[in-house]
């Protein structure tokens, strides 16, 4: 049974498996409940000796019966999962006693834990914040290694206990073998709204998502928020050209923040399967701490600083031209130009034609087939097979392709080295196998 939000709990006596507890003042709010300081008034001999204890009560409105049942299941699941994990994963705030172990007929839902302080990043140096984020990362890494995901990582769920950072609020915990995920319905939104990864905007079929990658996204956003003592976070991917989110080494007073840039870029990608894993993130934090601590060779430090400056220059200083050599990039650019450009082929300085681009397909590697409108045959479609070494997008907005010589397969398709002969042939498909410059000119 859940407590109604209007119920007064101060002064209550709650009986658990290991003791009887007197509820004192309220000290905080959890994701789906309230937290109070308590005093042990009977028993408690087998409990770990702490400076103070707290109880978290499940508190929901009783008006929506379906919502109450769902929250109860989540709360009970949180208790069982934390008790299962707390002795094998470092940095999980432990549960010492709970209503699920009691014989109380009322079955008000609660659990007992040690009192821990809310984490206040502003009270710590940049070095200490990074050390705390390393501790958090290592805890998440241990969770992930056994198939679990937290799904609600945020500064509000971080606590300091025994001079270490602890992670709390496991109400949305998930594991890869979860059979009870129906308590999170398809229309539910999971995790903190301000920094919620795309796949948690609406929880669909759990078989479609590896929520450990959602933790990676949330970990990166939490790290950024802790570094900047910013409780709002930021939406979408981390991009170095977004000045409002850029991690500035000068503001943090460190020699280079390149490991943090790498972490943020790799961990906040829109598609969850493209993100780094938590182990990679933890390694980047270790690298950053080595830089802050001066525990790094001059050669390694110089490499990080070089990477940071090159990456910053690449996105902030306009280049004379951009060169694309990957076949996937070439194909995407060419297909985006279909219907908008014509091709002018240049051989030994002489220009041939203006051939409207109709279709592009990659055959293999950097070998493509290009469908053009051929003016030599009343604009009929002609397929040209040729290989590209690159596409160059220049500062003056012109775009050119460089072809190269390629070892074609053995299909019976005529091969030409002279452009004009290939275009004037009656064949519907030809191969060009030489080095040409190909200009893309807009249709007018």
């Amino acid at each position: 049974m859940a407590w109604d939000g209007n119920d007064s709990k101060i002064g209550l006596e709650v009986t658990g498996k290991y003791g009887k507890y007197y509820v004192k003042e309220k000290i905080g709010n959890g994701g789906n409940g309230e937290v109070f300081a308590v005093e042990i008034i009977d028993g408690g001999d087998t409990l770990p000796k702490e400076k103070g204890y707290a109880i978290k009560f499940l508190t929901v409105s009783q008006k929506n019966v379906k919502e109450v049942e769902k929250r109860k299941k989540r709360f009970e699941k949180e208790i069982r999962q934390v008790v299962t994990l707390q002795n094998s994963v470092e940095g999980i705030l432990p549960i010492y006693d709970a209503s699920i172990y009691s014989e109380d007929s009322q079955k008000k839902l609660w659990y007992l834990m040690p009192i821990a302080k809310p984490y206040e990043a502003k009270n710590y140096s940049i070095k200490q914040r990074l050390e705390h984020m390393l501790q958090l990362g290592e805890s998440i890494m241990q969770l992930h290694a056994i198939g679990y995901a937290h799904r609600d990582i945020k500064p509000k769920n971080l606590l300091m206990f025994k001079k270490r950072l602890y992670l709390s609020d496991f109400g949305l915990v998930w594991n890869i073998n979860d059979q009870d995920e129906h308590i999170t319905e398809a229309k539910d939104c999971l995790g903190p709204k301000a920094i919620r990864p795309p796949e948690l905007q609406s929880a669909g079929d759990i078989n479609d998502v590896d929520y450990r990658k959602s933790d990676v996204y949330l970990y990166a956003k939490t790290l950024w928020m802790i570094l900047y003592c910013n409780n709002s976070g930021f939406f979408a991917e981390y991009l170095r050209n977004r000045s409002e989110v850029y991690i500035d080494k000068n503001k943090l007073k460190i020699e280079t923040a390149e490991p943090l840039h790498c972490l943020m870029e790799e961990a906040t990608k829109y598609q969850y399967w493209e993100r780094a894993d938590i182990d990679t993130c933890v390694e980047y934090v270790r690298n950053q701490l080595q830089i802050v601590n001066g525990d790094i060779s001059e050669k390694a430090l110089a490499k990080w600083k070089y990477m940071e400056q090159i990456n910053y220059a690449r996105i902030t200083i306009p280049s004379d031209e951009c060169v694309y050599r990957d076949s996937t990039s070439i194909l995407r650019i060419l297909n985006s130009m279909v219907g908008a450009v014509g091709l002018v082929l240049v051989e030994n300085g002489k220009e041939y034609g203006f051939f409207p681009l109709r279709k592009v397909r990659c055959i293999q590697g950097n070998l493509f087939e290009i469908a053009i409108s051929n003016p030599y045959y009343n604009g009929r479609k002609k397929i040209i097979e040729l290989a590209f070494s690159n596409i160059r997008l220049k500062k003056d907005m012109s775009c050119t392709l460089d072809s190269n010589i390629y070892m074609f397969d053995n299909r019976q398709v005529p091969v030409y080295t002279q452009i004009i002969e290939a275009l004037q042939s009656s064949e519907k498909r030809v191969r060009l196998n030489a080095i040409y410059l190909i200009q893309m000119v807009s249709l007018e």
Side-chain angles (χ1 to χ4, degrees):
M1 183 175 179
W3 293 83
D4 189 276
N6 296 319
D7 291 344
S8 175
K9 304 169 189 67
I10 296 175
L12 286 173
E13 293 183 1
V14 180
T15 302
K17 182 178 180 180
Y18 302 106
K20 190 173 184 179
Y21 316 106
Y22 177 77
V23 180
K24 301 194 295 184
E25 73 273 14
K26 183 177 178 180
I27 58 175
N29 288 295
N32 56 355
E34 299 172 297
V35 181
F36 294 80
V38 297
E39 178 183 338
I40 301 174
I41 55 177
D42 188 29
D45 297 335
T46 60
L47 293 175
K49 303 303 179 185
E50 304 292 0
K51 293 181 179 179
Y53 301 88
I55 275 185
K56 178 178 178 180
F57 292 101
L58 173 64
T59 306
V60 293
S61 171
Q62 301 292 326
K63 295 179 181 179
N64 188 331
V65 176
K66 186 177 180 181
E67 182 67 17
V68 170
E69 287 305 309
K70 185 168 64 175
R71 292 298 181 96
K72 282 175 60 179
K73 288 181 179 179
R74 281 187 185 174
F75 197 80
E76 290 173 349
K77 179 182 177 181
E78 176 181 8
I79 294 169
R80 290 189 172 89
Q81 294 283 31
V82 170
V83 170
T84 298
L85 295 169
Q86 63 192 25
N87 293 324
S88 57
V89 177
E90 292 182 282
I92 293 180
L93 194 69
I95 289 176
Y96 294 150
D97 203 349
S99 55
I100 63 172
Y101 305 126
S102 120
E103 297 179 358
D104 181 1
S105 60
Q106 294 294 311
K107 279 295 179 184
K108 299 286 190 179
L109 296 178
W110 57 267
Y111 60 78
L112 181 79
M113 56 189 172
I115 285 183
K117 294 181 179 179
Y119 183 72
E120 295 287 347
K122 64 183 180 182
N123 295 334
Y124 301 98
S125 66
I126 293 297
K127 174 185 174 180
Q128 290 172 317
R129 292 178 213 174
L130 286 170
E131 289 171 343
H132 296 151
M133 290 301 98
L134 178 60
Q135 292 172 347
L136 175 61
E138 289 173 340
S139 296
I140 298 168
M141 191 164 65
Q142 292 175 41
L143 272 177
H144 288 190
I146 54 177
Y148 282 83
H150 186 275
R151 300 197 297 181
D152 198 17
I153 299 163
K154 57 186 176 184
K156 187 178 179 181
N157 286 340
L158 303 181
L159 301 168
M160 289 301 291
F161 177 58
K162 295 184 177 179
K163 298 182 179 181
R164 190 198 193 282
L165 191 78
Y166 275 73
L167 181 59
S168 66
D169 275 337
F170 278 70
L172 295 177
V173 68
W174 167 91
N175 74 71
I176 203 165
N177 297 314
D178 229 326
Q179 299 299 315
D180 196 31
E181 187 63 12
H182 63 271
I183 65 173
T184 300
E185 298 179 355
K187 293 183 180 180
D188 285 352
C189 288
L190 304 178
K193 183 177 179 180
I195 58 173
R196 186 181 297 147
E199 67 277 7
L200 294 191
Q201 298 297 330
S202 179
D205 184 350
I206 64 165
N207 294 321
D208 290 340
V209 178
D210 182 348
Y211 288 116
R212 290 172 293 188
K213 290 300 183 77
S214 306
D215 277 359
V216 166
Y217 186 102
L218 292 169
Y219 173 70
K221 293 294 184 77
T222 297
L223 185 151
W224 185 92
M225 293 165 74
I226 294 301
L227 284 177
Y228 281 99
C229 300
N230 181 310
N231 292 325
S232 300
F234 65 91
F235 183 71
E237 296 178 273
Y238 176 85
L239 300 173
R240 300 191 196 216
N241 59 357
R242 291 178 63 186
S243 59
E244 70 276 15
V245 303
Y246 183 77
I247 298 176
D248 189 335
K249 62 182 177 65
N250 296 321
K251 288 183 179 179
L252 298 181
K253 298 180 180 179
I254 55 180
E255 289 196 72
T256 174
E258 182 59 20
L260 295 179
H261 294 308
C262 294
L263 185 158
M264 296 300 300
E265 288 174 327
E266 296 176 27
T268 63
K269 291 183 181 295
Y270 182 84
Q271 304 291 0
Y272 70 86
W273 56 86
E274 294 180 352
R275 295 174 200 150
D277 56 27
I278 191 63
D279 300 58
T280 300
C281 294
V282 166
E283 188 58 31
Y284 280 135
V285 175
R286 288 188 182 126
N287 294 151
Q288 190 64 64
L289 268 170
Q290 287 177 334
I291 292 169
V292 172
N293 292 332
D295 186 22
I296 187 173
S297 69
E298 290 187 11
K299 183 177 180 180
L301 177 61
K303 182 179 179 181
W304 284 117
K305 294 169 77 171
Y306 171 79
M307 289 171 59
E308 183 176 42
Q309 291 308 116
I310 287 294
N311 282 316
Y312 186 74
R314 180 173 55 84
I315 62 173
T316 58
I317 302 173
S319 61
D320 293 330
E321 63 179 32
C322 295
V323 181
Y324 299 87
R325 295 186 175 86
D326 178 71
S327 60
T328 302
S329 300
I330 292 174
L331 182 63
R332 287 178 60 185
I333 294 171
L334 287 174
N335 273 323
S336 71
M337 298 289 189
V338 168
V341 300
L343 304 181
V344 176
L345 283 75
V346 181
E347 183 180 47
N348 297 324
K350 186 175 180 180
E351 296 182 359
Y352 291 92
F354 176 80
F355 311 109
L357 184 61
R358 297 177 59 177
K359 190 176 181 180
V360 186
R361 187 178 75 88
C362 182
I363 300 173
Q364 64 180 52
N366 275 38
L367 180 62
F368 295 83
E369 64 174 34
I370 310 291
I372 62 169
S373 296
N374 188 4
Y376 292 101
Y377 285 89
N378 301 315
R380 285 186 298 177
K381 183 173 73 172
K382 192 180 191 77
I383 304 295
I384 301 173
E385 294 184 8
L386 75 167
F388 293 125
S389 60
N390 60 66
I391 288 182
R392 297 178 183 273
L393 303 180
K394 299 185 178 180
K395 192 174 182 179
D396 63 2
M397 304 301 287
S398 64
C399 182
T400 61
L401 298 97
D402 293 316
S403 73
N404 59 12
I405 298 172
Y406 197 92
M407 184 64 69
F408 289 90
D409 57 33
N410 294 322
R411 287 182 299 155
Q412 297 301 308
V413 179
V415 179
Y416 293 86
T417 57
Q418 300 296 314
I419 293 173
I420 194 66
E421 292 179 4
L423 296 175
Q424 289 181 345
S425 74
S426 59
E427 303 289 342
K428 291 184 179 180
R429 179 185 290 268
V430 297
R431 292 172 174 170
L432 288 172
N433 200 15
I435 297 175
Y436 311 112
L437 173 68
I438 303 170
Q439 299 172 346
M440 282 197 281
V441 182
S442 62
L443 295 175
E444 296 180 356

